[in-house]
Amino acid sequence: MDKTLEGVNMMMTSTDRFKCPPGIKVFNKIADFRQWRRSLLLDKKTLGYVPTMGALHQGHLSLVAAARKRCDHVALTVFVNPAQFAPTEDLGTYPRTLQKDLDLLASLGQGVASAVLVPQVEEMYPAGIELDVTKQKGTFVEVLGISNQLEGTTRPNFFRGVATVVSKFLNIVQPEEVFFGQKDIQQCFVIRDMIRDLHFPTKMHICPTVREESGLALSSRNVYLTPSQKEHALVLSRSLKHMESLYRAGTRDATTLVQAGTKLIQDERKKVQEDGEDWEIKLDYVSINSGKDLSELKGDIPSEDGCVISMAVYVGDTRLIDNLCLDVELAD
């Protein structure tokens, strides 16, 4: 196994050193979780599911609360999935805060979150898992036609890893309903199509992006931002709102909207340089895509499909994403 993966596995080896809050069952083994899941079926209780990579924040908690409103029980998975990281990405440094995560779930009140599965890498990938996809063995899932654009351009194997691990977890957890956040909108489209195509008996919900009061979309990677970077990172939501206002005022040419949003980010980049910061803002992409199939739009935006306006921006070394869905019918 890759040394990076050995380190990841050591960090996730056991929940014994963590204090489990009352009312929340924490499982390391898939078989133990399945036994608990079977007991819910025998009691005719429904289960809502929230997949996570840990480092929970209020966005995750809002998904848990939404799941509890619809289901008798809520289960989460906490798993930093190696298959969605490239060799050059931050797998080894991705925040792992299981005790804090459990405490946050407990803060929702007893009976909101019922169980957390924290599986091992070797159990999730019995054939092993290499970060280099050319060396990988075993079974993987791809959702073609919707994975290679946007995030897939910068991270070409990312959604292959996402689809694979979510399909595994849907099979393990077997929830009646699953809950995702709109902030990762392309992921939502990929999983929605995968659930449809593979006939998972699970209803998907896409819940609104949760933001800080400033407008910054909540993300586990926000912990990497300095106070100054956090302030300048507000350009993402500001740019999206500007494009939305133009759209609502009647501008329906995608290229014009992209240019307007890009200008705000370029202006913010100049501000950072003028402030003499030792880091910079760098635009990865601003894109407008069909609300139907995420195909890129260049001319008029079809009124019947709506659109997804999305962007990725590096603020220092931290890559942030955000989006708005305009006149798009999402899974509720």
Side-chain angles (χ1 to χ4, degrees), residues 82-85 125 127-140 157 160-161:
Q84 64 195 65
F85 287 81
Y125 292 96
I129 180 69
E130 297 281 347
L131 298 185
D132 183 347
V133 296
T134 65
K135 298 178 181 178
Q136 289 176 351
K137 299 177 181 179
T139 304
F140 294 85
N157 298 298
R160 177 177 180 266

Side-chain angles (χ1 to χ4, degrees), residues 110-332:
Q110 198 157 339
V112 179
S114 296
V116 179
L117 173 60
V118 190
Q120 304 309 299
V121 173
E122 65 264 21
E123 193 172 17
M124 290 299 295
Y125 292 96
I129 180 69
E130 297 281 347
L131 298 185
D132 183 347
V133 296
T134 65
K135 298 178 181 178
Q136 289 176 351
K137 299 177 181 179
T139 304
F140 294 85
V141 177
E142 290 186 88
V143 183
L144 302 179
I146 206 165
S147 299
N148 295 328
Q149 59 270 62
L150 300 173
E151 290 297 286
T153 302
T154 303
R155 310 175 74 186
N157 298 298
F158 175 74
F159 290 112
R160 177 177 180 266
V162 169
T164 297
V165 81
V166 173
S167 66
K168 287 172 182 274
F169 277 131
L170 288 176
N171 184 39
I172 292 164
V173 177
Q174 298 189 1
E176 279 80 14
E177 309 191 32
V178 64
F179 296 78
F180 287 87
Q182 183 189 317
K183 187 183 79 68
D184 299 297
I185 188 62
Q186 188 175 6
Q187 173 177 275
C188 291
F189 274 65
V190 167
I191 299 305
R192 183 186 67 183
D193 285 6
M194 185 191 76
I195 287 174
R196 178 199 67 197
D197 294 348
L198 298 184
H199 301 283
F200 282 104
T202 303
K203 179 177 175 58
M204 181 179 179
H205 300 275
I206 301 174
C207 302
T209 300
V210 177
R211 301 180 180 276
E212 295 183 6
E213 206 169 301
S214 63
L216 183 66
L218 292 182
S219 168
S220 300
R221 287 190 168 92
N222 288 356
V223 298
Y224 300 145
L225 299 173
T226 67
S228 174
Q229 288 172 340
K230 216 170 184 183
E231 184 68 27
H232 286 287
L234 297 179
V235 71
L236 276 83
S237 57
R238 193 163 63 245
S239 178
L240 287 169
K241 286 180 181 177
H242 178 55
M243 287 186 279
E244 180 184 22
S245 67
L246 293 175
Y247 175 90
R248 299 298 182 199
T251 301
R252 298 301 169 91
D253 179 70
T255 301
T256 301
L257 294 175
V258 166
Q259 289 171 346
T262 299
K263 183 179 185 305
L264 288 187
I265 294 164
Q266 291 172 337
D267 290 347
E268 195 71 24
R269 185 170 187 266
K270 291 176 184 176
K271 288 180 187 177
V272 171
Q273 292 172 338
E274 290 167 359
D275 289 345
E277 299 282 4
D278 59 357
W279 54 273
E280 64 176 0
I281 283 179
K282 185 172 69 173
L283 176 64
D284 190 347
Y285 67 80
V286 177
S287 185
I288 297 182
N289 295 68
S290 165
K292 182 180 180 181
D293 59 10
L294 286 188
S295 56
E296 187 175 9
L297 300 176
K298 294 290 189 181
D300 289 341
I301 299 170
S303 57
E304 64 272 17
D305 295 337
C307 66
V308 176
I309 304 179
S310 56
M311 62 178 58
V313 178
Y314 286 93
V315 180
D317 293 330
T318 305
R319 186 173 181 276
L320 301 177
I321 61 172
D322 203 349
N323 68 81
L324 286 177
C325 294
L326 305 180
D327 300 332
V328 178
E329 191 172 327
L330 297 175
D332 60 357

